[in-house]
Amino acid sequence: MSEKEDIIEESQDELYEHHRIIADPKQQLLRLDKFLMDRLPNVTRNKVQAAIKDGFVKVNDENVKPNYKVRPNDDIVIALPEPPRETEVIPEDIPLNIVYEDDHILVVNKEAGMVVHPAYNNWNGTLVNALAYHFQNLPTMPDNEGRPGLVHRIDKDTSGLLVIAKSEKAMTGLAKQFFDHSIERTYYALVWGDVSEDKGTIDCHLGRSFKDRRVVAAFPEGDIGRHAITHYKVIERLRYVSLIKCNLETGRTHQIRAHMKHLGHPLFNDSTYGGDKILKGTTFTKYKQFIDNCFKIMPRQALHAKSLGFIHPITKEKMQFESELPKDFTDVIDKWKHYVQFN
């Protein structure tokens, strides 16, 4: 592999490993499937060809055919199912808040505190364990056993909407929409500070922090990580915090949390990104007690996946779903409104 070839791998909210390869300036013409097989570990030709056929490979941001010949400086992006750590899923009788269901898809409203799929330190009590109990024979993406029905995820302590695939055709169709960034996702977040602009766009690469791999960092120069775009709009200003609406154009891990920290407005009570401290306000003991009470009411980051829009993968109908803010979220907002009014 040439030193000038740039291979980047980043985990996403979608359950894929995204690989980006920049062909060498002296690259000789070579079939795309052969080119990718030579550069991606443990990938079969059938898997590569299937990814190209299903539209999960783009060259210079365009879909191509398997017999496409790679040219010098081509920018190639491929998404392959992210391999799970374990494949056995134990069904568990956990209630699900089902918003919509038909023969092909399922939309659920996940509570805060529930992990989406089994992983290290969270093998039980996940959304996937519940899905395995309530629904049999859910599909899985090839080589992604252990996560039946999943095409995307949200953080453990983020509440809100998720779409689940109940058939293989639905899974492929939904996954393609996520890959094309055509899924509409709106989140509500309570962030520290009075956001200066009424609305704006954060266009900044995100990647794993060099200091702490559990944290996603912003790389404004765009030389590291993956391109990430978040559009935001202020819904309500509450003196020391702001309620905002975020629309995701991309689906990177911790995208809103990392982008808002980069903007200087970490999510309220987001311990991973520094929002679990008093970042704005007074030094009065009464104010500190007020914040502590808010943290107790909502012991998680103030983030909710409020709406979800996509094209039904089978009927091609436009689907749009909305969810109410959970009680811990509304209770904290009400406390802030009361504080602003009487202090």
Side-chain angles (χ1 to χ4, degrees), residues 109-112 154 157-161 185-190 243-246 256 267 298 300-307 322-329:
N109 192 10
K110 185 187 82 70
E111 294 183 356
I154 56 179
D157 289 327
T158 298
S159 53
L161 297 173
R185 287 170 288 174
T186 300
Y187 290 73
Y188 271 37
L190 188 67
L243 179 64
I244 64 171
K245 177 173 68 173
C246 295
I256 293 174
L267 268 61
M298 194 176 195
R300 64 176 179 105
Q301 69 261 10
L303 186 61
H304 177 72
K306 195 172 190 305
S307 69
E322 301 285 336
S323 64
E324 298 295 328
L325 290 175
K327 188 175 185 302
D328 61 347
F329 209 132

PDB file of all heavy atoms in Angstrom, residues 109-112 154 157-161 185-190 243-246 256 267 298 300-307 322-329:
ATOM      1  N   ASN A 109     -39.501   3.831  20.658  1.00  0.00           N
ATOM      2  CA  ASN A 109     -39.060   5.000  21.424  1.00  0.00           C
ATOM      3  C   ASN A 109     -38.254   4.478  22.609  1.00  0.00           C
ATOM      4  O   ASN A 109     -38.810   3.939  23.557  1.00  0.00           O
ATOM      5  CB  ASN A 109     -40.277   5.804  21.890  1.00  0.00           C
ATOM      6  CG  ASN A 109     -39.899   7.169  22.429  1.00  0.00           C
ATOM      7  OD1 ASN A 109     -38.759   7.609  22.299  1.00  0.00           O
ATOM      8  ND2 ASN A 109     -40.860   7.847  23.035  1.00  0.00           N
ATOM      9  N   LYS A 110     -36.934   4.591  22.511  1.00  0.00           N
ATOM     10  CA  LYS A 110     -36.046   4.018  23.525  1.00  0.00           C
ATOM     11  C   LYS A 110     -35.939   4.924  24.746  1.00  0.00           C
ATOM     12  O   LYS A 110     -35.798   6.136  24.629  1.00  0.00           O
ATOM     13  CB  LYS A 110     -34.640   3.794  22.947  1.00  0.00           C
ATOM     14  CG  LYS A 110     -33.678   3.091  23.902  1.00  0.00           C
ATOM     15  CD  LYS A 110     -32.266   3.032  23.368  1.00  0.00           C
ATOM     16  CE  LYS A 110     -31.501   4.322  23.612  1.00  0.00           C
ATOM     17  NZ  LYS A 110     -31.180   4.553  25.038  1.00  0.00           N
ATOM     18  N   GLU A 111     -35.995   4.304  25.916  1.00  0.00           N
ATOM     19  CA  GLU A 111     -35.809   5.061  27.150  1.00  0.00           C
ATOM     20  C   GLU A 111     -34.330   5.314  27.398  1.00  0.00           C
ATOM     21  O   GLU A 111     -33.460   4.532  26.998  1.00  0.00           O
ATOM     22  CB  GLU A 111     -36.390   4.282  28.339  1.00  0.00           C
ATOM     23  CG  GLU A 111     -37.897   4.109  28.303  1.00  0.00           C
ATOM     24  CD  GLU A 111     -38.406   3.398  29.543  1.00  0.00           C
ATOM     25  OE1 GLU A 111     -37.584   2.986  30.380  1.00  0.00           O
ATOM     26  OE2 GLU A 111     -39.645   3.251  29.665  1.00  0.00           O
ATOM     27  N   ALA A 112     -34.044   6.406  28.087  1.00  0.00           N
ATOM     28  CA  ALA A 112     -32.671   6.677  28.513  1.00  0.00           C
ATOM     29  C   ALA A 112     -32.218   5.588  29.477  1.00  0.00           C
ATOM     30  O   ALA A 112     -33.000   5.096  30.286  1.00  0.00           O
ATOM     31  CB  ALA A 112     -32.583   8.045  29.178  1.00  0.00           C
ATOM     32  N   ILE A 154     -28.443   4.785  19.023  1.00  0.00           N
ATOM     33  CA  ILE A 154     -28.229   6.013  19.766  1.00  0.00           C
ATOM     34  C   ILE A 154     -27.584   5.637  21.097  1.00  0.00           C
ATOM     35  O   ILE A 154     -27.636   4.487  21.520  1.00  0.00           O
ATOM     36  CB  ILE A 154     -29.540   6.818  19.988  1.00  0.00           C
ATOM     37  CG1 ILE A 154     -30.593   5.968  20.691  1.00  0.00           C
ATOM     38  CG2 ILE A 154     -30.081   7.355  18.671  1.00  0.00           C
ATOM     39  CD1 ILE A 154     -31.899   6.724  20.965  1.00  0.00           C
ATOM     40  N   ASP A 157     -27.558   6.740  27.166  1.00  0.00           N
ATOM     41  CA  ASP A 157     -28.272   7.747  27.945  1.00  0.00           C
ATOM     42  C   ASP A 157     -28.966   8.795  27.091  1.00  0.00           C
ATOM     43  O   ASP A 157     -29.373   9.847  27.587  1.00  0.00           O
ATOM     44  CB  ASP A 157     -27.308   8.422  28.927  1.00  0.00           C
ATOM     45  CG  ASP A 157     -26.905   7.481  30.056  1.00  0.00           C
ATOM     46  OD1 ASP A 157     -27.737   6.650  30.456  1.00  0.00           O
ATOM     47  OD2 ASP A 157     -25.749   7.556  30.521  1.00  0.00           O
ATOM     48  N   THR A 158     -29.105   8.514  25.797  1.00  0.00           N
ATOM     49  CA  THR A 158     -29.926   9.338  24.911  1.00  0.00           C
ATOM     50  C   THR A 158     -31.248   8.618  24.714  1.00  0.00           C
ATOM     51  O   THR A 158     -31.276   7.417  24.461  1.00  0.00           O
ATOM     52  CB  THR A 158     -29.232   9.548  23.555  1.00  0.00           C
ATOM     53  OG1 THR A 158     -28.009  10.250  23.753  1.00  0.00           O
ATOM     54  CG2 THR A 158     -30.113  10.350  22.607  1.00  0.00           C
ATOM     55  N   SER A 159     -32.335   9.336  24.843  1.00  0.00           N
ATOM     56  CA  SER A 159     -33.664   8.752  24.639  1.00  0.00           C
ATOM     57  C   SER A 159     -34.135   9.054  23.223  1.00  0.00           C
ATOM     58  O   SER A 159     -33.597   9.915  22.538  1.00  0.00           O
ATOM     59  CB  SER A 159     -34.651   9.330  25.655  1.00  0.00           C
ATOM     60  OG  SER A 159     -34.619  10.759  25.622  1.00  0.00           O
ATOM     61  N   GLY A 160     -35.173   8.313  22.779  1.00  0.00           N
ATOM     62  CA  GLY A 160     -35.794   8.673  21.520  1.00  0.00           C
ATOM     63  C   GLY A 160     -35.959   7.565  20.506  1.00  0.00           C
ATOM     64  O   GLY A 160     -35.865   6.376  20.817  1.00  0.00           O
ATOM     65  N   LEU A 161     -36.198   7.963  19.260  1.00  0.00           N
ATOM     66  CA  LEU A 161     -36.686   7.086  18.207  1.00  0.00           C
ATOM     67  C   LEU A 161     -35.585   6.314  17.477  1.00  0.00           C
ATOM     68  O   LEU A 161     -34.527   6.859  17.160  1.00  0.00           O
ATOM     69  CB  LEU A 161     -37.473   7.906  17.179  1.00  0.00           C
ATOM     70  CG  LEU A 161     -38.741   8.592  17.696  1.00  0.00           C
ATOM     71  CD1 LEU A 161     -39.318   9.508  16.627  1.00  0.00           C
ATOM     72  CD2 LEU A 161     -39.780   7.567  18.133  1.00  0.00           C
ATOM     73  N   ARG A 185     -33.213  13.148  10.801  1.00  0.00           N
ATOM     74  CA  ARG A 185     -33.159  12.929  12.239  1.00  0.00           C
ATOM     75  C   ARG A 185     -33.083  14.265  12.963  1.00  0.00           C
ATOM     76  O   ARG A 185     -32.199  15.077  12.692  1.00  0.00           O
ATOM     77  CB  ARG A 185     -31.943  12.062  12.602  1.00  0.00           C
ATOM     78  CG  ARG A 185     -32.087  10.605  12.232  1.00  0.00           C
ATOM     79  CD  ARG A 185     -30.782   9.860  12.378  1.00  0.00           C
ATOM     80  NE  ARG A 185     -29.841  10.254  11.325  1.00  0.00           N
ATOM     81  CZ  ARG A 185     -28.583   9.849  11.288  1.00  0.00           C
ATOM     82  NH1 ARG A 185     -28.110   9.079  12.259  1.00  0.00           N
ATOM     83  NH2 ARG A 185     -27.794  10.218  10.305  1.00  0.00           N
ATOM     84  N   THR A 186     -34.000  14.480  13.877  1.00  0.00           N
ATOM     85  CA  THR A 186     -34.021  15.713  14.664  1.00  0.00           C
ATOM     86  C   THR A 186     -33.898  15.366  16.135  1.00  0.00           C
ATOM     87  O   THR A 186     -34.629  14.519  16.651  1.00  0.00           O
ATOM     88  CB  THR A 186     -35.322  16.511  14.432  1.00  0.00           C
ATOM     89  OG1 THR A 186     -35.423  16.841  13.046  1.00  0.00           O
ATOM     90  CG2 THR A 186     -35.328  17.785  15.258  1.00  0.00           C
ATOM     91  N   TYR A 187     -32.968  16.025  16.807  1.00  0.00           N
ATOM     92  CA  TYR A 187     -32.737  15.836  18.235  1.00  0.00           C
ATOM     93  C   TYR A 187     -33.015  17.145  18.965  1.00  0.00           C
ATOM     94  O   TYR A 187     -32.778  18.234  18.423  1.00  0.00           O
ATOM     95  CB  TYR A 187     -31.286  15.438  18.513  1.00  0.00           C
ATOM     96  CG  TYR A 187     -30.898  14.055  18.063  1.00  0.00           C
ATOM     97  CD1 TYR A 187     -30.725  13.751  16.717  1.00  0.00           C
ATOM     98  CD2 TYR A 187     -30.668  13.041  18.995  1.00  0.00           C
ATOM     99  CE1 TYR A 187     -30.348  12.486  16.308  1.00  0.00           C
ATOM    100  CE2 TYR A 187     -30.288  11.767  18.599  1.00  0.00           C
ATOM    101  CZ  TYR A 187     -30.130  11.503  17.256  1.00  0.00           C
ATOM    102  OH  TYR A 187     -29.757  10.243  16.846  1.00  0.00           O
ATOM    103  N   TYR A 188     -33.510  17.044  20.205  1.00  0.00           N
ATOM    104  CA  TYR A 188     -33.588  18.190  21.100  1.00  0.00           C
ATOM    105  C   TYR A 188     -32.487  18.035  22.142  1.00  0.00           C
ATOM    106  O   TYR A 188     -32.272  16.935  22.668  1.00  0.00           O
ATOM    107  CB  TYR A 188     -34.956  18.261  21.776  1.00  0.00           C
ATOM    108  CG  TYR A 188     -35.990  19.053  20.987  1.00  0.00           C
ATOM    109  CD1 TYR A 188     -36.024  19.006  19.598  1.00  0.00           C
ATOM    110  CD2 TYR A 188     -36.935  19.839  21.632  1.00  0.00           C
ATOM    111  CE1 TYR A 188     -36.963  19.726  18.872  1.00  0.00           C
ATOM    112  CE2 TYR A 188     -37.880  20.573  20.916  1.00  0.00           C
ATOM    113  CZ  TYR A 188     -37.878  20.502  19.539  1.00  0.00           C
ATOM    114  OH  TYR A 188     -38.800  21.216  18.820  1.00  0.00           O
ATOM    115  N   ALA A 189     -31.799  19.134  22.414  1.00  0.00           N
ATOM    116  CA  ALA A 189     -30.710  19.113  23.381  1.00  0.00           C
ATOM    117  C   ALA A 189     -30.778  20.360  24.249  1.00  0.00           C
ATOM    118  O   ALA A 189     -31.120  21.445  23.772  1.00  0.00           O
ATOM    119  CB  ALA A 189     -29.362  19.043  22.667  1.00  0.00           C
ATOM    120  N   LEU A 190     -30.466  20.198  25.514  1.00  0.00           N
ATOM    121  CA  LEU A 190     -30.302  21.332  26.416  1.00  0.00           C
ATOM    122  C   LEU A 190     -28.800  21.509  26.601  1.00  0.00           C
ATOM    123  O   LEU A 190     -28.106  20.578  27.029  1.00  0.00           O
ATOM    124  CB  LEU A 190     -30.982  21.062  27.764  1.00  0.00           C
ATOM    125  CG  LEU A 190     -31.052  22.251  28.737  1.00  0.00           C
ATOM    126  CD1 LEU A 190     -31.970  23.334  28.186  1.00  0.00           C
ATOM    127  CD2 LEU A 190     -31.526  21.794  30.118  1.00  0.00           C
ATOM    128  N   LEU A 243     -32.208  25.653  24.959  1.00  0.00           N
ATOM    129  CA  LEU A 243     -32.829  24.477  24.363  1.00  0.00           C
ATOM    130  C   LEU A 243     -32.688  24.609  22.854  1.00  0.00           C
ATOM    131  O   LEU A 243     -33.124  25.600  22.269  1.00  0.00           O
ATOM    132  CB  LEU A 243     -34.301  24.388  24.756  1.00  0.00           C
ATOM    133  CG  LEU A 243     -35.084  23.212  24.171  1.00  0.00           C
ATOM    134  CD1 LEU A 243     -34.533  21.882  24.681  1.00  0.00           C
ATOM    135  CD2 LEU A 243     -36.577  23.327  24.490  1.00  0.00           C
ATOM    136  N   ILE A 244     -32.058  23.628  22.226  1.00  0.00           N
ATOM    137  CA  ILE A 244     -31.813  23.702  20.793  1.00  0.00           C
ATOM    138  C   ILE A 244     -32.359  22.473  20.080  1.00  0.00           C
ATOM    139  O   ILE A 244     -32.579  21.425  20.687  1.00  0.00           O
ATOM    140  CB  ILE A 244     -30.310  23.856  20.470  1.00  0.00           C
ATOM    141  CG1 ILE A 244     -29.528  22.621  20.928  1.00  0.00           C
ATOM    142  CG2 ILE A 244     -29.747  25.126  21.093  1.00  0.00           C
ATOM    143  CD1 ILE A 244     -28.086  22.600  20.451  1.00  0.00           C
ATOM    144  N   LYS A 245     -32.583  22.644  18.778  1.00  0.00           N
ATOM    145  CA  LYS A 245     -32.979  21.542  17.898  1.00  0.00           C
ATOM    146  C   LYS A 245     -31.826  21.274  16.948  1.00  0.00           C
ATOM    147  O   LYS A 245     -31.277  22.205  16.348  1.00  0.00           O
ATOM    148  CB  LYS A 245     -34.241  21.915  17.124  1.00  0.00           C
ATOM    149  CG  LYS A 245     -34.693  20.872  16.118  1.00  0.00           C
ATOM    150  CD  LYS A 245     -36.043  21.239  15.506  1.00  0.00           C
ATOM    151  CE  LYS A 245     -35.966  22.457  14.629  1.00  0.00           C
ATOM    152  NZ  LYS A 245     -37.232  22.722  13.914  1.00  0.00           N
ATOM    153  N   CYS A 246     -31.436  20.014  16.809  1.00  0.00           N
ATOM    154  CA  CYS A 246     -30.323  19.634  15.937  1.00  0.00           C
ATOM    155  C   CYS A 246     -30.805  18.680  14.854  1.00  0.00           C
ATOM    156  O   CYS A 246     -31.497  17.709  15.159  1.00  0.00           O
ATOM    157  CB  CYS A 246     -29.198  18.972  16.727  1.00  0.00           C
ATOM    158  SG  CYS A 246     -28.378  20.046  17.923  1.00  0.00           S
ATOM    159  N   ILE A 256     -23.552  15.079  17.979  1.00  0.00           N
ATOM    160  CA  ILE A 256     -24.089  16.294  18.587  1.00  0.00           C
ATOM    161  C   ILE A 256     -23.299  16.649  19.838  1.00  0.00           C
ATOM    162  O   ILE A 256     -22.959  17.824  20.069  1.00  0.00           O
ATOM    163  CB  ILE A 256     -25.584  16.114  18.909  1.00  0.00           C
ATOM    164  CG1 ILE A 256     -26.398  15.990  17.616  1.00  0.00           C
ATOM    165  CG2 ILE A 256     -26.109  17.285  19.752  1.00  0.00           C
ATOM    166  CD1 ILE A 256     -27.857  15.660  17.836  1.00  0.00           C
ATOM    167  N   LEU A 267     -23.454  19.646  26.234  1.00  0.00           N
ATOM    168  CA  LEU A 267     -24.792  19.280  26.674  1.00  0.00           C
ATOM    169  C   LEU A 267     -24.886  19.294  28.192  1.00  0.00           C
ATOM    170  O   LEU A 267     -23.952  18.905  28.895  1.00  0.00           O
ATOM    171  CB  LEU A 267     -25.160  17.879  26.152  1.00  0.00           C
ATOM    172  CG  LEU A 267     -25.883  17.828  24.811  1.00  0.00           C
ATOM    173  CD1 LEU A 267     -25.046  18.416  23.691  1.00  0.00           C
ATOM    174  CD2 LEU A 267     -26.277  16.389  24.473  1.00  0.00           C
ATOM    175  N   MET A 298     -32.315  14.739  36.154  1.00  0.00           N
ATOM    176  CA  MET A 298     -31.907  14.212  34.850  1.00  0.00           C
ATOM    177  C   MET A 298     -30.448  13.782  34.916  1.00  0.00           C
ATOM    178  O   MET A 298     -29.546  14.502  34.485  1.00  0.00           O
ATOM    179  CB  MET A 298     -32.110  15.273  33.766  1.00  0.00           C
ATOM    180  CG  MET A 298     -32.031  14.736  32.349  1.00  0.00           C
ATOM    181  SD  MET A 298     -32.380  16.016  31.125  1.00  0.00           S
ATOM    182  CE  MET A 298     -32.643  14.987  29.677  1.00  0.00           C
ATOM    183  N   ARG A 300     -28.258  12.328  33.293  1.00  0.00           N
ATOM    184  CA  ARG A 300     -27.752  11.903  31.983  1.00  0.00           C
ATOM    185  C   ARG A 300     -27.604  13.142  31.108  1.00  0.00           C
ATOM    186  O   ARG A 300     -28.036  14.240  31.496  1.00  0.00           O
ATOM    187  CB  ARG A 300     -28.733  10.948  31.312  1.00  0.00           C
ATOM    188  CG  ARG A 300     -30.096  11.606  30.998  1.00  0.00           C
ATOM    189  CD  ARG A 300     -31.021  10.668  30.258  1.00  0.00           C
ATOM    190  NE  ARG A 300     -32.323  11.212  29.950  1.00  0.00           N
ATOM    191  CZ  ARG A 300     -32.712  11.610  28.739  1.00  0.00           C
ATOM    192  NH1 ARG A 300     -31.874  11.580  27.718  1.00  0.00           N
ATOM    193  NH2 ARG A 300     -33.941  12.051  28.534  1.00  0.00           N
ATOM    194  N   GLN A 301     -27.013  12.974  29.935  1.00  0.00           N
ATOM    195  CA  GLN A 301     -26.945  14.104  29.015  1.00  0.00           C
ATOM    196  C   GLN A 301     -28.346  14.445  28.510  1.00  0.00           C
ATOM    197  O   GLN A 301     -29.155  13.562  28.259  1.00  0.00           O
ATOM    198  CB  GLN A 301     -26.009  13.823  27.832  1.00  0.00           C
ATOM    199  CG  GLN A 301     -26.503  12.769  26.842  1.00  0.00           C
ATOM    200  CD  GLN A 301     -25.868  11.420  27.098  1.00  0.00           C
ATOM    201  OE1 GLN A 301     -25.209  11.201  28.114  1.00  0.00           O
ATOM    202  NE2 GLN A 301     -26.035  10.498  26.158  1.00  0.00           N
ATOM    203  N   ALA A 302     -28.611  15.730  28.378  1.00  0.00           N
ATOM    204  CA  ALA A 302     -29.935  16.198  27.961  1.00  0.00           C
ATOM    205  C   ALA A 302     -30.052  16.128  26.440  1.00  0.00           C
ATOM    206  O   ALA A 302     -29.924  17.134  25.734  1.00  0.00           O
ATOM    207  CB  ALA A 302     -30.167  17.621  28.459  1.00  0.00           C
ATOM    208  N   LEU A 303     -30.300  14.923  25.931  1.00  0.00           N
ATOM    209  CA  LEU A 303     -30.390  14.703  24.486  1.00  0.00           C
ATOM    210  C   LEU A 303     -31.490  13.691  24.187  1.00  0.00           C
ATOM    211  O   LEU A 303     -31.537  12.621  24.792  1.00  0.00           O
ATOM    212  CB  LEU A 303     -29.048  14.193  23.954  1.00  0.00           C
ATOM    213  CG  LEU A 303     -28.919  14.039  22.443  1.00  0.00           C
ATOM    214  CD1 LEU A 303     -29.096  15.376  21.732  1.00  0.00           C
ATOM    215  CD2 LEU A 303     -27.561  13.436  22.082  1.00  0.00           C
ATOM    216  N   HIS A 304     -32.360  14.060  23.251  1.00  0.00           N
ATOM    217  CA  HIS A 304     -33.504  13.213  22.903  1.00  0.00           C
ATOM    218  C   HIS A 304     -33.682  13.179  21.390  1.00  0.00           C
ATOM    219  O   HIS A 304     -33.741  14.230  20.733  1.00  0.00           O
ATOM    220  CB  HIS A 304     -34.774  13.748  23.565  1.00  0.00           C
ATOM    221  CG  HIS A 304     -36.014  12.983  23.211  1.00  0.00           C
ATOM    222  ND1 HIS A 304     -36.271  11.711  23.682  1.00  0.00           N
ATOM    223  CD2 HIS A 304     -37.080  13.310  22.420  1.00  0.00           C
ATOM    224  CE1 HIS A 304     -37.436  11.290  23.208  1.00  0.00           C
ATOM    225  NE2 HIS A 304     -37.939  12.235  22.439  1.00  0.00           N
ATOM    226  N   ALA A 305     -33.745  11.961  20.824  1.00  0.00           N
ATOM    227  CA  ALA A 305     -34.000  11.788  19.392  1.00  0.00           C
ATOM    228  C   ALA A 305     -35.493  11.967  19.154  1.00  0.00           C
ATOM    229  O   ALA A 305     -36.267  11.028  19.294  1.00  0.00           O
ATOM    230  CB  ALA A 305     -33.529  10.405  18.939  1.00  0.00           C
ATOM    231  N   LYS A 306     -35.877  13.186  18.775  1.00  0.00           N
ATOM    232  CA  LYS A 306     -37.292  13.559  18.790  1.00  0.00           C
ATOM    233  C   LYS A 306     -38.064  13.156  17.544  1.00  0.00           C
ATOM    234  O   LYS A 306     -39.235  12.792  17.621  1.00  0.00           O
ATOM    235  CB  LYS A 306     -37.437  15.068  19.004  1.00  0.00           C
ATOM    236  CG  LYS A 306     -38.849  15.492  19.388  1.00  0.00           C
ATOM    237  CD  LYS A 306     -38.904  16.945  19.778  1.00  0.00           C
ATOM    238  CE  LYS A 306     -40.254  17.294  20.394  1.00  0.00           C
ATOM    239  NZ  LYS A 306     -41.393  16.958  19.525  1.00  0.00           N
ATOM    240  N   SER A 307     -37.449  13.243  16.381  1.00  0.00           N
ATOM    241  CA  SER A 307     -38.185  12.889  15.167  1.00  0.00           C
ATOM    242  C   SER A 307     -37.309  12.089  14.220  1.00  0.00           C
ATOM    243  O   SER A 307     -36.077  12.157  14.259  1.00  0.00           O
ATOM    244  CB  SER A 307     -38.725  14.141  14.462  1.00  0.00           C
ATOM    245  OG  SER A 307     -37.674  14.900  13.913  1.00  0.00           O
ATOM    246  N   GLU A 322     -42.758  11.355  15.336  1.00  0.00           N
ATOM    247  CA  GLU A 322     -42.413  12.333  16.363  1.00  0.00           C
ATOM    248  C   GLU A 322     -42.574  11.680  17.735  1.00  0.00           C
ATOM    249  O   GLU A 322     -43.442  10.829  17.936  1.00  0.00           O
ATOM    250  CB  GLU A 322     -43.321  13.566  16.282  1.00  0.00           C
ATOM    251  CG  GLU A 322     -43.275  14.303  14.955  1.00  0.00           C
ATOM    252  CD  GLU A 322     -42.014  15.122  14.790  1.00  0.00           C
ATOM    253  OE1 GLU A 322     -41.411  15.491  15.830  1.00  0.00           O
ATOM    254  OE2 GLU A 322     -41.637  15.400  13.638  1.00  0.00           O
ATOM    255  N   SER A 323     -41.754  12.097  18.684  1.00  0.00           N
ATOM    256  CA  SER A 323     -41.882  11.598  20.054  1.00  0.00           C
ATOM    257  C   SER A 323     -41.833  12.771  21.021  1.00  0.00           C
ATOM    258  O   SER A 323     -41.159  13.781  20.771  1.00  0.00           O
ATOM    259  CB  SER A 323     -40.761  10.601  20.380  1.00  0.00           C
ATOM    260  OG  SER A 323     -39.498  11.234  20.335  1.00  0.00           O
ATOM    261  N   GLU A 324     -42.547  12.631  22.128  1.00  0.00           N
ATOM    262  CA  GLU A 324     -42.550  13.675  23.149  1.00  0.00           C
ATOM    263  C   GLU A 324     -41.255  13.620  23.960  1.00  0.00           C
ATOM    264  O   GLU A 324     -40.644  12.563  24.114  1.00  0.00           O
ATOM    265  CB  GLU A 324     -43.751  13.483  24.089  1.00  0.00           C
ATOM    266  CG  GLU A 324     -45.101  13.598  23.402  1.00  0.00           C
ATOM    267  CD  GLU A 324     -45.355  14.994  22.861  1.00  0.00           C
ATOM    268  OE1 GLU A 324     -44.862  15.976  23.481  1.00  0.00           O
ATOM    269  OE2 GLU A 324     -46.023  15.105  21.816  1.00  0.00           O
ATOM    270  N   LEU A 325     -40.848  14.769  24.483  1.00  0.00           N
ATOM    271  CA  LEU A 325     -39.706  14.781  25.383  1.00  0.00           C
ATOM    272  C   LEU A 325     -40.056  13.974  26.629  1.00  0.00           C
ATOM    273  O   LEU A 325     -41.160  14.102  27.163  1.00  0.00           O
ATOM    274  CB  LEU A 325     -39.350  16.212  25.781  1.00  0.00           C
ATOM    275  CG  LEU A 325     -38.756  17.113  24.694  1.00  0.00           C
ATOM    276  CD1 LEU A 325     -38.577  18.526  25.234  1.00  0.00           C
ATOM    277  CD2 LEU A 325     -37.430  16.570  24.203  1.00  0.00           C
ATOM    278  N   PRO A 326     -39.144  13.145  27.122  1.00  0.00           N
ATOM    279  CA  PRO A 326     -39.438  12.360  28.334  1.00  0.00           C
ATOM    280  C   PRO A 326     -39.559  13.257  29.563  1.00  0.00           C
ATOM    281  O   PRO A 326     -39.131  14.421  29.558  1.00  0.00           O
ATOM    282  CB  PRO A 326     -38.239  11.417  28.439  1.00  0.00           C
ATOM    283  CG  PRO A 326     -37.167  12.060  27.658  1.00  0.00           C
ATOM    284  CD  PRO A 326     -37.829  12.835  26.564  1.00  0.00           C
ATOM    285  N   LYS A 327     -40.123  12.699  30.630  1.00  0.00           N
ATOM    286  CA  LYS A 327     -40.454  13.485  31.817  1.00  0.00           C
ATOM    287  C   LYS A 327     -39.226  14.128  32.454  1.00  0.00           C
ATOM    288  O   LYS A 327     -39.292  15.281  32.899  1.00  0.00           O
ATOM    289  CB  LYS A 327     -41.180  12.614  32.848  1.00  0.00           C
ATOM    290  CG  LYS A 327     -41.738  13.402  34.036  1.00  0.00           C
ATOM    291  CD  LYS A 327     -42.541  12.502  34.955  1.00  0.00           C
ATOM    292  CE  LYS A 327     -43.204  13.309  36.066  1.00  0.00           C
ATOM    293  NZ  LYS A 327     -42.255  14.056  36.891  1.00  0.00           N
ATOM    294  N   ASP A 328     -38.098  13.414  32.524  1.00  0.00           N
ATOM    295  CA  ASP A 328     -36.922  14.028  33.155  1.00  0.00           C
ATOM    296  C   ASP A 328     -36.477  15.271  32.397  1.00  0.00           C
ATOM    297  O   ASP A 328     -36.060  16.275  32.994  1.00  0.00           O
ATOM    298  CB  ASP A 328     -35.777  13.014  33.292  1.00  0.00           C
ATOM    299  CG  ASP A 328     -35.280  12.468  31.960  1.00  0.00           C
ATOM    300  OD1 ASP A 328     -35.953  12.666  30.930  1.00  0.00           O
ATOM    301  OD2 ASP A 328     -34.207  11.826  31.960  1.00  0.00           O
ATOM    302  N   PHE A 329     -36.619  15.237  31.073  1.00  0.00           N
ATOM    303  CA  PHE A 329     -36.236  16.364  30.227  1.00  0.00           C
ATOM    304  C   PHE A 329     -37.170  17.552  30.465  1.00  0.00           C
ATOM    305  O   PHE A 329     -36.729  18.693  30.686  1.00  0.00           O
ATOM    306  CB  PHE A 329     -36.279  15.931  28.754  1.00  0.00           C
ATOM    307  CG  PHE A 329     -35.321  16.663  27.854  1.00  0.00           C
ATOM    308  CD1 PHE A 329     -34.507  15.952  26.979  1.00  0.00           C
ATOM    309  CD2 PHE A 329     -35.220  18.038  27.868  1.00  0.00           C
ATOM    310  CE1 PHE A 329     -33.608  16.597  26.142  1.00  0.00           C
ATOM    311  CE2 PHE A 329     -34.336  18.704  27.021  1.00  0.00           C
ATOM    312  CZ  PHE A 329     -33.531  17.988  26.156  1.00  0.00           C
TER     313      PHE A 329
END
